[in-house]
Amino acid sequence: MGQAPSSTAESNGREIDPRPSSPVIIGGGESIDSGNSGAIRDRDYTEDLPDECLAHVFQYLGAGDRKRCSLVCKRWLFVDGQNRHRLSLDARDEILSFLPSMFNRFDSVKKLALRCDRKSVSLSDEALVMISVRCLNLTRVKLRGCREITDLGMVEFARSCRNLKKLSVGSCNFGARGVNAMLEHCKVLEELSVKRLRGIHEAPELIGSSSSLRSICLKELVNGQVFEPLVANTRTLKTLKIIRCLGDWDKVLKTIGDGDSSLSEIHLERLQVSDFGLSSISKCSKVETLHIVKTPECSNYGLIDVAERCKLLRKLHIDGWRTNRIGDEGLIAVAKHCLNLQELVLIGVNATHMSLAAIASNCEKLERLALCGSGTIGDTEIACIAKKCGALRKFCIKGCPVSDLGIEALAVGCPNLVKLKVRKCKVVTGEIGEWLRERRRTLVVCMDGDGSEATVAVDGEVETVMGEPRVGQAEVVSGNGGGSRLAMIRSKFGFLAGWNLVTCTFRRWSHNDNGTSST
């Protein structure tokens, strides 16, 4: 960094060396007083900077730059350690001997991630307990592949980390006893995410309730029904996500519906859930966000029950998996009863002009719409949306039999539209995109084969970055020299160009809109 090593003394109250000075000529013929020109060059100007300010500067650096800064001098090493609140470790068994010195330096860690690959032996209960004793301020913990941790280790960990607010575990071997210990001792725990927890496969013990949980996410569990008392009896629960879990979930959803639930967000993905389950969650009248993704046993009847009772619904995602069990009948019920709908995503749902016209006419607050993989949505349906959806701001069309004629209708319709994405619509040509950009210069139009966007991999998913990238994620910024940068990215990631996930795009859109509304 160019600074000479500073002393290990405290930064506050440092005094500048009052040595006599002599004139030194600098650029422009001016002069300053200094005892030695070499001393001026070698002086550590951060000596006058308080530790708090130096720590604030470090927060803007990436992990690699921050590590390099900690090697500059003892003071920077100390400041970095005292203000490093997030730490991610390779949680192999060999880490045990390094833990004392590591957490002597990083004694202010609040967010800790422990990851171990499949081919290695993970840290044990002893190491986990040592971490919990030395990191009493932990608020977020993520465990991945820590297969050597048992229920006993989780019990001791829970007793020490009473301030924990978020726990995420994946590919671990402890069971219900360990989870119950976390719920019992961590009285402020708000978020729980469990993925591939092998210890509950045949466990007779159930997971009890909590007085503080607000979000539960269950993924890829063989015996996930042991969480039934937790999701049914936790009165503070707002968000429930059940994804790719085996077994029949209708009974669990019935228990939720029969209770006094305050759920506002429910995600059901690739589950054995029928219309009975949908009718059960329809009793949760406070639901505002509902995702029904690839649940082939759900049909119009279940969706009608949800629409009639969940009148506060604002976001609805349906992936019909092209089973034709959800269609116009269910969507017309949504249009009739869910007048606050702001976001609608239909994937593999064969909606027609009848249901889309009803939604466009009744759902006057609809701002985000995605129509994907439907063989019944053509130019007539797009023209109807263009004519009636006055509040629509973001529109995605993918894999539908739409032609240039339908896209042309958007030139005069949807006055508030700011982003349009058209993908895999074989009849749509590039010329209509250029024409639409000329007619509506404030509209961002993204089509197959154009250079108005860049595709990058973000958090393991392929996402299209356009206009306003997500904060904290990989992003592409286009400026005066943006053309060459985009060309470089397209050359590296071009083979992923066709993999854009509509759900990822709408997650970013929804995030940006929520952030805007909250301000």
Side-chain angles (χ1 to χ4, degrees):
M1 291 297 179
Q3 292 87 356
S6 61
S7 65
T8 57
E10 294 295 327
S11 62
N12 295 332
R14 282 188 176 86
E15 296 181 358
I16 302 176
D17 187 4
R19 290 179 293 182
S21 59
S22 60
V24 175
I25 305 300
I26 60 176
E30 300 177 359
S31 65
I32 61 173
D33 289 340
S34 175
N36 190 309
S37 60
I40 289 294
R41 286 194 302 269
D42 295 338
R43 180 188 169 195
D44 183 359
Y45 289 97
T46 64
E47 285 285 338
D48 303 325
L49 195 65
D51 287 352
E52 294 78 8
C53 295
L54 188 60
H56 187 70
V57 173
F58 286 166
Q59 292 178 4
Y60 290 92
L61 302 179
D65 288 336
R66 192 157 181 170
K67 291 176 183 177
R68 285 184 281 272
C69 284
S70 66
L71 301 176
V72 170
C73 62
K74 291 183 178 181
R75 181 197 172 204
W76 285 29
L77 178 70
F78 174 79
V79 172
D80 174 57
Q82 292 294 305
N83 295 275
R84 184 76 70 97
H85 301 307
R86 180 179 299 179
L87 204 60
S88 181
L89 301 178
D90 184 0
R92 288 180 287 182
D93 187 46
E94 296 83 358
I95 199 175
L96 178 60
S97 59
F98 299 98
L99 290 178
S101 60
M102 185 180 302
F103 287 104
N104 279 338
R105 175 185 172 190
F106 302 112
D107 59 354
S108 301
V109 173
K110 296 182 179 180
K111 303 176 184 178
L112 179 64
L114 301 174
R115 295 183 175 89
C116 184
D117 60 76
R118 296 179 181 179
K119 298 180 180 180
S120 303
V121 179
S122 73
L123 52 73
S124 61
D125 291 344
E126 181 183 359
L128 185 66
V129 172
M130 184 182 296
I131 291 174
S132 66
V133 171
R134 291 178 172 271
C135 300
L136 299 178
N137 297 322
L138 284 177
T139 59
R140 296 188 179 187
V141 172
K142 180 181 292 185
L143 303 177
R144 291 290 184 270
C146 300
R147 293 172 292 277
E148 302 302 318
I149 295 178
T150 66
D151 286 328
L152 294 176
M154 292 301 296
V155 170
E156 295 299 323
F157 180 79
R159 288 173 178 169
S160 299
C161 299
R162 296 179 179 270
N163 296 322
L164 204 64
K165 293 185 177 181
K166 181 176 181 179
L167 175 65
S168 176
V169 299
S171 301
C172 296
N173 288 337
F174 63 88
R177 183 185 174 190
V179 178
N180 279 324
M182 300 300 300
L183 297 175
E184 178 184 354
H185 297 287
C186 303
K187 298 298 185 181
V188 294
L189 188 66
E190 297 179 352
E191 296 183 40
L192 176 65
S193 177
V194 181
K195 180 178 180 181
R196 291 196 296 269
L197 190 61
R198 297 180 176 89
I200 64 170
H201 284 186
E202 298 179 359
E205 184 177 357
L206 299 178
I207 309 297
S209 62
S210 169
S211 59
S212 59
L213 272 180
R214 298 177 60 85
S215 174
I216 298 176
C217 180
L218 308 176
K219 288 185 179 182
E220 301 176 19
L221 299 178
V222 173
N223 189 24
Q225 287 76 9
V226 299
F227 286 89
E228 178 180 338
L230 179 63
V231 300
N233 300 326
T234 302
R235 297 290 177 258
T236 56
L237 192 63
K238 299 295 183 182
T239 301
L240 175 63
K241 299 180 181 180
I242 310 175
I243 302 171
R244 297 188 295 275
C245 294
L246 300 182
D248 188 357
W249 286 87
D250 281 343
K251 180 183 176 182
V252 177
L253 297 179
K254 181 180 184 302
T255 308
I256 296 174
D258 292 341
D260 184 17
S261 174
S262 58
L263 281 171
S264 62
E265 183 174 351
I266 300 177
H267 292 231
L268 306 175
E269 181 176 340
R270 293 202 180 191
L271 296 179
Q272 185 180 336
V273 175
S274 67
D275 290 334
F276 180 80
L278 288 184
S279 298
S280 299
I281 64 174
S282 69
K283 299 177 184 178
C284 304
S285 58
K286 299 178 182 179
V287 170
E288 298 181 5
T289 301
L290 177 62
H291 289 214
I292 308 172
V293 180
K294 297 178 180 178
T295 53
E297 298 182 25
C298 295
S299 69
N300 285 320
Y301 299 108
L303 183 59
I304 290 173
D305 284 342
V306 170
E308 290 177 348
R309 297 181 181 181
C310 300
K311 298 182 182 296
L312 300 179
L313 201 64
R314 295 188 301 109
K315 300 178 183 179
L316 177 62
H317 289 216
I318 301 176
D319 188 341
W321 225 358
R322 297 184 179 178
T323 58
N324 291 328
R325 294 177 61 86
I326 295 180
D328 282 342
E329 188 177 353
L331 294 177
I332 289 175
V334 171
K336 182 178 180 181
H337 300 284
C338 303
L339 304 182
N340 294 314
L341 197 65
Q342 297 178 5
E343 178 175 309
L344 177 63
V345 176
L346 301 178
I347 303 174
V349 177
N350 286 329
T352 65
H353 178 272
M354 184 184 303
S355 58
L356 292 179
I359 291 174
S361 300
N362 296 344
C363 302
E364 297 180 354
K365 299 179 181 179
L366 189 64
E367 296 182 353
R368 298 175 295 276
L369 176 63
L371 306 174
C372 311
S374 174
T376 58
I377 297 177
D379 293 337
T380 303
E381 287 72 22
I382 300 302
C384 175
I385 292 171
K387 181 179 180 182
K388 298 183 178 181
C389 287
L392 195 64
R393 299 180 65 245
K394 290 145 187 178
F395 192 14
C396 177
I397 309 170
K398 182 177 180 180
C400 298
V402 177
S403 69
D404 290 352
L405 187 61
I407 304 301
E408 185 177 336
L410 296 172
V412 293
C414 299
N416 293 309
L417 193 65
V418 294
K419 294 181 181 179
L420 172 66
K421 180 178 179 180
V422 182
R423 284 283 181 266
K424 296 184 179 180
C425 298
K426 299 180 180 180
V427 189
V428 176
T429 63
E431 288 75 11
I432 191 64
E434 295 297 333
W435 178 84
L436 188 58
R437 293 187 187 100
E438 289 295 327
R439 294 291 301 270
R440 300 185 63 166
R441 295 186 178 276
T442 59
L443 179 64
V444 177
V445 182
C446 301
M447 305 182 69
D448 289 323
D450 61 32
S452 59
E453 66 178 20
T455 304
V456 295
V458 179
D459 288 349
E461 298 175 320
V462 178
E463 179 173 334
T464 301
V465 179
M466 59 181 182
E468 43 191 31
R470 281 195 301 181
V471 177
Q473 304 291 349
E475 55 188 53
V476 177
V477 183
S478 58
N480 295 333
S484 59
R485 188 178 305 175
L486 290 178
M488 179 184 67
I489 291 177
R490 284 198 301 271
S491 65
K492 290 184 177 181
F493 298 100
F495 64 96
L496 297 174
W499 295 6
N500 301 320
L501 301 180
V502 173
T503 53
C504 296
T505 302
F506 268 73
R507 191 181 304 120
R508 181 181 69 256
W509 287 355
S510 176
H511 172 81
N512 290 335
D513 288 345
N514 291 340
T516 303
S517 60
S518 65
T519 57

